[in-house]
Amino acid sequence: KEFNTTKFDQTVEIHMRLGVDPNQADQIIRGSLVLPHGIGRTQRVVVFAKGEAAEAAKAAGADEVGQEDLAKKIKDGWTDFDVCIATPDMMGKAGRLGRVLGPRGLMPNPKAGTVVQADDLPRAIEEAKAGRVEYRLDKTANIHVPIGKVSFGPEKLQDNFAALMNAVVKSRPAAAKIYIQRVTLASTMGPGIKVDVNQAQSL
């Protein structure tokens, strides 16, 4: 908060360097969680669903629900959303959008909690809007996750940080010897602040 010199409310992010090999399938770290205090903004959610599931998604507050029409809209370049959810029977349509959704981290995935059964849609949409975040290992063995806004204050940010650390520690693969190597805390335009790894893991 002391480094907050901008007029806008900066996002606070955690960056972690992990001692795993991203090229090994058994060492891929990926998951999602709902942060205790959200991330400071309402997520825009689109859903691939049909029939009763589509109606349930609309009732639960999804910003856009569709099938072929939604797929075409996204294929034509529309990506004005934060989370993409699909029911299993719609993954054929969503899967064809890999070139658009993949690089943006928006492809529905069971591990990220974004491929869900029809009766689970309301819960998934509610959690996504509340601030469900996904953590995933990138090609350089790092994880980058937002944990809130500078305006949250230290207590809320620490609660969110602790929840994230808990999830990442539980995702530790058996092959990892020294799992979490570095942890850095940073705001959008602030400096990176090194965090003691042992203290972070003890949260």
Side-chain angles (χ1 to χ4, degrees), residues 9-201:
D9 193 9
Q10 298 182 65
T11 296
V12 179
E13 301 169 351
I14 294 294
H15 305 275
M16 283 184 237
R17 172 75 172 173
L18 302 185
V20 297
D21 184 352
N23 296 314
Q24 301 298 319
D26 62 343
Q27 295 183 45
I28 297 297
I29 312 298
R30 184 172 189 175
S32 63
L33 72 152
V34 179
L35 296 174
H37 304 290
I39 58 172
R41 66 186 177 93
T42 302
Q43 303 276 69
R44 294 160 296 181
V45 180
V46 302
V47 179
F48 281 95
K50 63 181 179 181
E52 291 183 6
E55 294 304 316
K58 289 175 185 174
D63 296 278
E64 189 106 11
V65 181
Q67 300 174 54
E68 289 288 359
D69 55 334
L70 180 57
K72 185 179 185 306
K73 188 174 180 180
I74 293 171
K75 190 175 181 180
D76 289 344
W78 180 72
T79 54
D80 191 23
F81 52 91
D82 304 294
V83 182
C84 182
I85 295 173
T87 53
D89 59 335
M90 287 284 105
M91 275 308 291
K93 289 181 173 56
R96 292 199 296 268
L97 299 168
R99 195 170 290 177
V100 181
L101 299 177
R104 293 173 173 82
L106 294 170
M107 177 60 75
N109 184 291
K111 287 185 178 179
T114 48
V115 176
V116 297
Q117 298 295 334
D119 54 358
D120 252 354
L121 271 177
R123 176 193 58 78
I125 293 167
E126 184 181 337
E127 288 184 354
K129 287 211 163 264
R132 172 180 282 274
V133 294
E134 181 183 355
Y135 57 92
R136 57 188 296 186
L137 195 70
D138 66 16
K139 292 177 182 177
T140 56
N142 291 301
I143 283 176
H144 316 274
V145 187
I147 59 164
K149 298 286 187 179
V150 170
S151 61
F152 275 23
E155 296 80 12
K156 287 184 177 180
L157 287 171
Q158 176 135 337
D159 287 348
N160 282 355
F161 184 21
L164 172 64
M165 289 304 305
N166 186 47
V168 173
V169 168
K170 284 183 176 178
S171 298
R172 178 177 187 150
K177 293 178 181 177
I178 299 176
Y179 182 40
I180 300 176
Q181 296 182 339
R182 282 198 301 276
V183 180
T184 304
L185 181 71
S187 55
T188 307
M189 296 181 71
I193 300 168
K194 290 182 181 179
V195 178
D196 182 281
V197 174
N198 292 326
Q199 280 191 312
Q201 291 184 95

